[in-house]
């Protein structure tokens, strides 16, 4: 009887111990969850404080539009990127170094392709082979209309920006545009349009890939450079820009 009473008394004690352990375990897990929740905002705040070039908030791949064009620019598929860059280099060498003219090249290519197709179509009856299948190519009307509308919208927006700059309301934008046009005129005097286009094409295929690889170093250097530029601009604004008379501003209501 005494042994039975001891076993009965030990069972409630063991149950109480298990309940206490579960409660302590829940408390420790809840405390760890709360610690994790506290640490997560700190990590996100640290990420938010990181300076990105041009105020960028998205990855470089998304900034370039995503998809296959961004993969080509960032060399995600090295064979395709190398092929595109090699083709552009071949075109530049053909027209710039060898001085081959565009109309001459188009004419020779059309003569060669039409001659091959014509001979193949007539010789197919003698060599017992099927004639070549020449597909019908036509531009859809909706595609042409969408392209025309997008071009019209961009041209009108460019005219609006030029009008706003010429009105003398934003001196900072005016100086930036003048500096950009001045640099463009210097580049135009040094090289022709094809060479300039090729330089821009090579830059677009190299600079984004290098920036994505050394992103942190470039952003830290750009942050220091922007801070120094802002200091110099404040001094220049106080000494020069603030003394230049500006055009009349419109009322806020208008």
């Amino acid at each position: 009887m005494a042994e039975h009473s001891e076993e009965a008394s030990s069972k409630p004690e063991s149950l109480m111990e298990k309940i206490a352990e579960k409660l302590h375990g829940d408390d420790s897990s809840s405390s760890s969850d709360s610690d994790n929740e506290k640490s997560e905002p700190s990590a996100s705040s640290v990420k938010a404080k990181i300076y990105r070039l041009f105020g960028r908030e998205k990855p470089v791949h998304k900034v370039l539009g995503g998809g296959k064009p961004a993969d080509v620019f960032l060399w995600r598929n090295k064979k395709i990127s190398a092929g595109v860059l090699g083709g552009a280099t071949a075109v530049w060498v053909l027209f710039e170094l060898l001085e081959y003219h565009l109309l001459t090249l188009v004419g020779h290519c059309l003569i060669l392709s039409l001659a091959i197709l014509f001979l193949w179509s007539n010789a197919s009856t003698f060599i017992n082979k099927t004639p070549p299948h020449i597909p019908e190519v036509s531009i859809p009307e909706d595609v042409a209309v969408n392209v025309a509308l997008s071009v019209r919208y961009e041209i009108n927006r460019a005219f609006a920006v030029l009008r706003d700059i010429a009105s003398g309301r934003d001196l900072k934008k005016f100086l930036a545009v003048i500096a950009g046009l001045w640099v463009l005129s210097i580049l135009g005097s040094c090289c022709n349009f094809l060479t300039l286009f090729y330089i821009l094409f090579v830059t677009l295929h190299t600079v984004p890939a290098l920036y994505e690889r050394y992103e942190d170093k470039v952003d830290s250097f750009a942050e220091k450079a922007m801070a120094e530029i802002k200091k110099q601009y404040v001094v220049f604004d106080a000494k020069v820009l603030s003394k230049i008379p500006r055009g009349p501003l419109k009322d806020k209501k208008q």
Side-chain angles (χ1 to χ4, degrees):
M1 295 293 292
E3 292 176 356
H4 288 294
S5 62
E6 289 177 358
E7 291 178 357
S9 60
S10 62
K11 287 181 180 179
E13 291 178 357
S14 62
L15 289 173
M16 293 298 292
E17 290 176 357
K18 291 180 179 179
I19 292 171
E21 288 177 358
K22 288 183 179 180
L23 290 174
H24 286 297
D26 294 337
D27 293 336
S28 61
S29 63
S30 62
S31 62
S32 62
D33 292 337
S34 62
D35 293 336
N36 292 330
E37 290 176 356
K38 290 180 180 178
S39 62
E40 286 177 356
S42 62
S44 62
S45 61
V46 170
K47 290 182 180 179
K49 293 179 181 178
I50 296 176
Y51 177 84
R52 293 301 180 191
L53 193 62
F54 303 116
R56 177 177 57 84
E57 297 180 355
K58 299 179 181 179
V60 182
H61 190 270
K62 290 294 183 65
V63 173
L64 294 175
K68 293 183 179 179
D71 293 338
V72 173
F73 292 144
L74 297 176
W75 292 75
R76 300 290 173 83
N77 192 335
K78 294 182 179 180
K79 292 182 179 180
I80 296 177
S81 300
V84 172
L85 188 59
T89 304
V91 171
W92 179 76
V93 170
L94 187 65
F95 289 111
E96 186 65 22
L97 298 183
L98 301 180
E99 295 182 354
Y100 210 80
H101 298 288
L102 178 61
L103 292 177
T104 306
L105 178 63
V106 172
H108 288 173
C109 291
L110 288 176
I111 290 171
L112 182 61
S113 59
L114 289 175
I116 291 174
L117 291 174
F118 180 80
L119 293 175
W120 188 3
S121 300
N122 289 308
S124 61
T125 57
F126 299 101
I127 59 178
N128 295 324
K129 288 187 177 181
T130 58
H133 176 69
I134 302 174
E136 295 182 1
V137 180
S138 61
I139 300 174
E141 183 179 358
D142 54 349
V143 175
V145 171
N146 291 330
V147 171
L149 290 176
S150 61
V151 171
R152 171 181 171 274
Y153 173 76
E154 294 297 333
I155 292 174
N156 290 334
R157 190 173 67 171
F159 284 155
V161 171
L162 292 176
R163 182 178 179 277
D164 186 59
I165 292 171
S167 62
R169 297 168 186 168
D170 194 346
L171 186 59
K172 184 178 178 181
K173 187 185 292 185
F174 172 76
L175 294 176
V177 171
I178 293 298
L181 293 175
W182 180 66
V183 172
L184 187 63
S185 63
I186 293 175
L187 292 176
S189 62
C190 296
C191 56
N192 56 12
F193 178 76
L194 181 62
T195 303
L196 181 61
F197 181 78
Y198 177 70
I199 292 172
L200 293 175
F201 190 82
V202 173
T203 303
L204 191 60
H205 273 75
T206 53
V207 172
L210 293 174
Y211 173 69
E212 188 183 35
R213 185 173 181 180
Y214 304 101
E215 184 177 357
D216 296 333
K217 295 180 181 179
V218 174
D219 288 339
S220 63
F221 178 78
E223 184 178 7
K224 297 177 183 178
M226 287 300 297
E228 186 64 26
I229 290 172
K230 288 180 180 179
K231 290 180 182 179
Q232 297 298 328
Y233 178 77
V234 169
V235 175
F236 183 71
D237 186 28
K239 292 183 178 180
V240 179
L241 299 182
S242 60
K243 298 179 181 180
I244 298 176
R246 301 183 181 182
L249 299 176
K250 290 184 177 182
D251 296 333
K252 293 183 178 179
K253 293 183 179 179
Q254 294 178 354

